[in-house]
């Protein structure tokens, strides 16, 4: 197996984009692969993939999505709608001097990658989805769906909707909150069946962190890694990241013309068997023959939680590079 190139080979850049500026980190030369992170992360969540893809002969680029890290953080809540994030990705490909790219996303990045491929198939020639399955636009209004979940408890996406509410829980102790959130969805530290579900809060005075596991960090997350993530959010605050959730109804309206639309390009899916995103959206995975007709590689990793490319970097790197190599034929 190739040894990944050292981190010193990472190149930080800032480009002009609809967001204002986008910060990215790149490594390697060859066909462009754009890596899109999720919540609450940054380009750093791809730190194990950048050298592996570079070694395999690809130009790997991980960005800070608008509102995160060193990218611009527009003030308006509706500046975080999916259509704007897609246009950021198109602008990034162009700014890098390329016409086309493969796009790979994790968590919210999976949804952003899917929308980018759906709206701009001429730019994004293939799409990789990690943790969150593809479900075509359409169906009931998202906030109505989330409001019905949980009964006497409130689903976390609903909890995130009111500006300032979740920030008031997170920002007084960002490092502690992030540690708990990461642990709550990691295979080796997540609550056991029967314990309170950390995706929900009590409707009266509840906080997400009330259900986070205590104790040690997950095995994939070192104290230094946590310092990196916490340092970014200490500087930016959480509003830019949370505004993604606050645009789900706008996205539903914006993408209505694409209701039920499949993604035709070659695609990859990797999910964790212990990840709620995989289990709750099992029907979406079952529908892949219709919704992802170009699916060429699909894997559920046993014993893996939500932070898939960080929990199982070697396995994800092997699956990702094998799939990318298959696209070159």
């Amino acid at each position: 197996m190739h040894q990944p190139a050292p981190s010193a080979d990472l190149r930080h850049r800032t480009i002009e984009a609809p967001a204002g500026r986008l910060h990215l980190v790149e490594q390697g030369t060859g066909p462009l692969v754009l890596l899109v992170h999720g919540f609450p992360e940054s380009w750093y969540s791809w730190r194990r993939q950048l050298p592996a893809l570079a070694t395999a002969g690809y130009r790997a680029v991980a960005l800070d999505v608008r509102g995160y890290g060193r990218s611009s953080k527009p003030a308006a809540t509706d500046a975080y709608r999916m259509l704007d994030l897609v246009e950021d990705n198109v602008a990034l490909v162009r700014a890098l001097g390329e016409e086309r790219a493969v796009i790979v996303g994790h968590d919210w990045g999976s949804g952003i990658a899917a929308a980018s491929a759906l709206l701009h198939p001429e730019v994004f020639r293939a799409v990789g989805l990690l943790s969150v399955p593809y479900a075509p636009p359409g169906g009931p209004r998202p906030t109505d769906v989330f409001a019905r979940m949980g009964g006497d408890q409130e689903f976390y996406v609903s909890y995130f909707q009111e500006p300032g509410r979740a920030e008031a829980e997170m920002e007084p102790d960002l490092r502690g909150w992030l540690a708990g959130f990461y642990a709550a969805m990691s295979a080796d530290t997540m609550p056991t069946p029967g314990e309170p579900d950390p995706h929900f809060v009590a409707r009266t005075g509840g906080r997400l962190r009330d259900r986070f596991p205590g104790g040690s960090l997950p095995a994939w997350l070192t104290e230094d890694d946590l310092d990196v993530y916490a340092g970014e959010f200490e500087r930016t605050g959480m509003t830019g990241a949370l505004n993604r959730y606050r645009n789900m109804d706008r996205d539903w309206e914006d993408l209505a013309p694409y209701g039920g639309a499949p993604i035709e390009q070659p695609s990859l899916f990797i999910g964790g068997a212990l990840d709620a995103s995989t289990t709750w959206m099992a029907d979406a995975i079952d529908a892949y023959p219709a919704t992802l007709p170009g699916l060429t590689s699909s894997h559920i990793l046993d014993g893996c939680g939500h932070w898939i490319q960080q929990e199982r970097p070697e396995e994800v790197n092997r699956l990702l590079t094998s799939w990318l190599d298959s696209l070159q034929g």
Side-chain angles (χ1 to χ4, degrees):
M1 185 174 177
H2 293 297
Q3 286 296 318
S7 59
D9 292 344
L10 296 175
R11 302 183 297 276
H12 290 257
R13 295 178 55 182
T14 302
I15 62 132
E16 295 302 313
R21 68 179 183 279
L22 288 175
H23 169 248
L24 59 91
V25 180
E26 65 175 313
Q27 189 166 1
T29 59
L32 177 60
V33 181
L34 178 59
L35 304 170
V36 188
H37 68 80
F39 175 90
E41 301 175 274
S42 71
W43 76 267
Y44 189 75
S45 66
W46 300 104
R47 63 194 176 281
R48 305 285 182 79
Q49 284 65 54
L50 289 164
L53 295 185
T55 299
Y58 295 94
R59 183 185 186 188
V61 174
L63 79 154
D64 284 336
V65 173
R66 70 163 68 186
Y68 285 86
R70 292 176 236 176
S71 292
S72 288
K73 188 178 76 172
T77 301
D78 65 1
Y80 297 83
R81 67 205 313 153
M82 186 64 77
L83 293 182
D84 290 341
L85 300 176
V86 168
E87 292 310 311
D88 282 348
N89 291 339
V90 173
L92 191 154
V93 172
R94 298 284 186 254
L96 293 172
E98 302 285 353
E99 293 296 320
R100 308 192 76 196
V102 176
I103 189 167
V104 179
H106 169 257
D107 181 78
W108 260 123
S110 176
I112 297 168
S116 298
L118 182 65
L119 272 59
H120 288 283
E122 78 287 358
V123 177
F124 299 104
R125 62 187 180 92
V127 58
L129 310 175
L130 273 56
S131 297
V132 176
Y134 175 61
R141 184 180 294 274
T143 55
D144 292 342
V145 174
F146 300 134
R148 291 194 295 268
M149 296 178 66
D152 60 350
Q153 303 175 83
E154 185 176 18
F155 191 47
Y156 79 100
V157 178
S158 299
Y159 177 68
F160 285 172
Q161 292 302 308
E162 181 186 339
R165 183 183 178 199
E167 288 94 327
E169 171 187 341
M170 300 171 183
E171 292 180 352
D173 174 25
L174 267 171
R175 193 178 191 279
W177 192 91
L178 291 169
F181 191 78
Y182 296 143
M185 299 181 194
S186 298
D188 58 335
T189 49
M190 63 176 51
T192 59
E195 291 187 291
D197 189 332
H199 295 89
F200 295 87
V201 301
R203 288 193 179 272
T204 303
R207 304 178 305 166
L208 279 173
R209 70 183 307 154
D210 294 338
R211 299 183 175 188
F212 291 166
S216 59
L217 297 178
W220 62 267
L221 184 69
T222 68
E223 295 286 350
D224 287 344
D225 293 332
L226 182 57
D227 285 344
V228 172
Y229 284 125
E232 295 292 79
F233 288 111
E234 290 284 2
R235 189 176 69 253
T236 65
M238 295 299 295
T239 298
L242 288 164
N243 279 345
R244 175 83 290 273
Y245 292 91
R246 295 165 183 160
N247 279 278
M248 296 181 78
D249 284 353
R250 290 186 184 91
D251 298 340
W252 180 73
E253 295 168 356
D254 289 342
L255 297 174
Y258 297 87
I263 294 175
E264 305 282 355
Q265 297 97 306
S267 55
L268 159 81
F269 175 72
I270 311 174
L274 301 180
D275 184 4
S277 300
T278 303
T279 55
W280 288 347
M281 298 185 71
D283 289 348
I285 296 173
D286 291 343
Y288 277 170
T291 61
L292 289 179
L295 184 70
T296 57
S297 184
S298 184
H299 311 270
I300 303 293
L301 306 188
D302 288 339
C304 186
H306 182 68
W307 316 105
I308 191 162
Q309 78 271 34
Q310 298 178 90
E311 290 187 50
R312 303 279 276 275
E314 292 82 9
E315 195 167 357
V316 168
N317 291 347
R318 177 176 56 80
L319 295 171
L320 190 53
T321 53
S322 177
W323 174 70
L324 289 168
D325 290 348
S326 76
L327 302 175
Q328 307 310 313

